[in-house]
Amino acid sequence: MLDRMALVAAVVCAGLFVLLSTAVVGWAVTQRPGAVTVWIASEPAVGVGRFGVVMLVLGALSGAAAYLVTQRDRAHVEQSSRELVHLADRFAAGEARLVPVHSDIDEIDHVSGVMNRRAHDMTKSLAAERDFAADASHQLRTPLTALLMRLEEISETDDAEVVKEEATIAIAQVERLTRVVDDLLGRTRGSGGPSPAVSLDSVIAALQREWQPAFEQARRSVRVRGERGLFVRSTPVALSQVLSTLLENSLVHGRGTVDVHARRSGPSVIVEVSDQGDGVPAAMAPHIFERSVSSGAGGSTGLGLALARDLAESNGGRLDLVQAQPARFALFLSEAETD
């Protein structure tokens, strides 16, 4: 198509050149008739033929010149079009990393830019969906595991009082599971607003009851100390998930008694969780909150601490590893005023 367009342009240029030459000759006939008469005096037919041949030659040369002059531009447009088609094929195949076309042709560069931005947005969206799926499975795993443990306790006893107690705790786990699902749905809808005030004592007490069977089975215990009656800014689900992750981390990777210490520090409340184990290896400590970073012990996926830090930050807090050996994690939250 480009060749046909160039050929048409060459023909138009040749025609214009012939017309221009004819006009020049006409001017010469009217202004300098003597010179023209001498040129064609020998034979009028021969003179006219010569004039026609000269015009055809000049027209052909001008057309060829126009065709050759546009060849480079046509090659550039053709190459840029091929690159754009190749880019479109890669985009359609789902490739995320696309090299934009730089052709200095506004339309082609604009289409290339749109495809690159769309590919980048799709990559971010897919990554967010994968992270959400991983986070959701991790958040749901803990309450489901606790619920299973309670149901196993019920199935192995004939004591009505024990059954009643375990069933009550199981119901609480179902309620927590429901809150986790609601929280996940809220994240997908992008719900905002300030975090509510939540009692730190009530969340820690619920976690103690939840994790008590697992720690007793491992012949370990959880000790809670520090200030009482503290309220912090966080959703109950997020706070429970962060502290539950720290308890699970100590249960799997640590040893001895797990110490949960709550205290004020200016306008913040700090909850420290530590144990008597070997702690975090020095090489792993700087990367402990990165996704997929794990020692692999206990079937760890490396998502727990990364998710816990994200949850803390989404509620205006911060989760840090303040000491590697033995491990001591600190959760910083804003204190909430209560009436």
Side-chain angles (χ1 to χ4, degrees):
M1 183 180 67
L2 291 173
D3 289 340
R4 287 196 299 268
M5 292 175 62
L7 184 60
V8 170
V11 171
V12 171
C13 289
L16 292 175
F17 189 83
V18 169
L19 290 176
L20 180 61
S21 300
T22 303
V24 171
V25 172
W27 175 83
V29 169
T30 57
Q31 300 298 324
R32 296 177 179 272
V36 176
T37 302
V38 172
W39 191 59
I40 62 175
S42 58
E43 184 66 40
V46 174
V48 173
R50 289 175 179 175
F51 174 75
V53 170
V54 170
M55 292 297 101
L56 288 175
V57 171
L58 292 177
L61 290 175
S62 64
Y67 187 85
L68 292 175
V69 166
T70 61
Q71 185 175 9
R72 182 178 178 182
D73 292 336
R74 288 184 289 109
H76 176 62
V77 173
E78 185 177 1
Q79 179 63 28
S80 300
S81 300
R82 286 199 189 101
E83 292 177 0
L84 185 63
V85 171
H86 180 62
L87 182 70
D89 290 338
R90 294 178 60 194
F91 176 74
E95 291 191 32
R97 299 191 178 190
L98 302 179
V99 179
V101 177
H102 299 289
S103 64
D104 295 328
I105 301 174
D106 292 340
E107 291 77 6
I108 292 179
D109 291 347
H110 177 72
V111 174
S112 171
V114 169
M115 284 193 290
N116 274 273
R117 288 192 297 273
R118 183 56 181 159
H120 180 68
D121 293 342
M122 290 176 62
T123 302
K124 289 177 60 178
S125 178
L126 290 173
E129 289 179 4
R130 286 194 296 267
D131 289 345
F132 175 78
D135 293 349
S137 63
H138 191 279
Q139 281 190 265
L140 294 174
R141 184 187 66 180
T142 300
L144 285 173
T145 301
L147 178 61
L148 178 61
M149 292 173 61
R150 296 301 176 181
L151 294 176
E152 288 175 348
E153 290 287 337
I154 293 175
S155 66
E156 294 175 358
T157 183
D158 295 328
D159 190 332
E161 290 298 324
V162 174
V163 170
K164 183 178 179 181
E165 179 183 357
E166 295 296 333
T168 301
I169 298 175
I171 292 172
Q173 292 300 323
V174 173
E175 292 174 348
R176 181 188 169 192
L177 188 61
T178 302
R179 290 194 298 270
V180 169
V181 173
D182 291 340
D183 182 68
L184 290 170
L185 291 175
R187 288 174 59 190
T188 61
R189 295 165 184 162
S191 58
S195 300
V198 59
S199 169
L200 186 60
D201 292 345
S202 63
V203 172
I204 293 178
L207 289 175
Q208 271 190 298
R209 292 192 299 269
E210 176 182 326
W211 285 97
Q212 181 181 355
F215 276 91
E216 287 180 350
Q217 186 176 1
R219 296 183 179 180
R220 296 174 59 189
S221 61
V222 178
R223 180 180 63 178
V224 179
R225 61 187 181 91
E227 299 182 48
R228 302 290 182 174
L230 297 176
F231 284 79
V232 296
R233 288 290 177 188
S234 174
T235 62
V237 173
L239 178 58
S240 178
Q241 181 64 34
V242 173
L243 295 178
S244 183
T245 298
L246 297 180
L247 290 174
E248 182 182 15
N249 194 67
S250 293
L251 177 63
V252 174
H253 303 286
R255 290 199 309 268
T257 300
V258 177
D259 186 77
V260 180
H261 181 210
R263 59 185 174 89
R264 285 187 178 91
S265 178
S268 301
V269 172
I270 303 176
V271 184
E272 294 182 328
V273 179
S274 60
D275 59 61
Q276 301 168 346
D278 295 332
V280 181
M284 186 185 296
H287 311 284
I288 193 67
F289 292 104
E290 296 178 10
R291 289 179 179 268
S292 302
V293 173
S294 171
S295 64
S300 175
T301 61
L303 287 174
L305 290 175
L307 174 58
R309 169 170 275 191
D310 290 344
L311 289 173
E313 292 177 352
S314 67
N315 284 269
R318 190 175 81 253
L319 178 62
D320 288 332
L321 176 66
V322 295
Q323 180 177 301
Q325 298 171 349
R328 185 168 81 248
F329 292 88
L331 173 62
F332 298 82
L333 293 168
S334 299
E335 183 176 9
E337 296 182 359
T338 57
D339 297 334

